[in-house]
Amino acid sequence: MPTAPRRLLVALAFGFAGAALAYVALRLIESVWFPEPDPAIVIWSDRSRFVWRALLAAYAGGAAIFGGHALATRSIEAAAVWLGRVSVAAALALALQGALVP
């Protein structure tokens, strides 16, 4: 595989992992500083907190694409090592967030 498509795939993978980490961070911040009201009290809301969290996480993941591409441009081997680390961190963060702050 040529190096340009390989760099783009690594950058995209960094974006997905970055979006997952950003979602966890946003969910934890929201649960600590802005607790959700009782669903029995709130029947209808014009804003979905999940949708805004997902959109902000996607935005942060898009920003992580640039960092992943810059790292892959310098050294594809280093990018692969860091991609593995970031992916494991994102998986652990999602698992812990799901278990502790559902």
Side-chain angles (χ1 to χ4, degrees):
M1 177 182 255
T3 56
R6 187 176 297 164
R7 284 194 309 254
L8 292 176
L9 287 174
V10 168
L12 187 63
F14 266 105
F16 286 132
L21 285 171
Y23 181 83
V24 170
L26 287 169
R27 179 68 181 112
L28 292 177
I29 289 169
E30 204 172 79
S31 69
V32 170
W33 284 322
F34 308 106
E36 294 181 2
D38 185 12
I41 297 171
V42 178
I43 296 173
W44 181 79
S45 175
D46 57 346
R47 294 179 296 220
S48 171
R49 297 175 96 170
F50 169 74
V51 172
W52 284 106
R53 275 194 310 263
L55 286 174
L56 288 172
Y59 182 77
I65 288 175
F66 293 108
H69 188 270
L71 183 60
T73 301
R74 286 185 167 219
S75 171
I76 195 73
E77 292 83 13
V81 169
W82 277 102
L83 179 59
R85 293 174 183 169
V86 170
S87 298
V88 168
L92 287 173
L94 278 174
L96 287 173
Q97 182 263 320
L100 300 176
V101 187

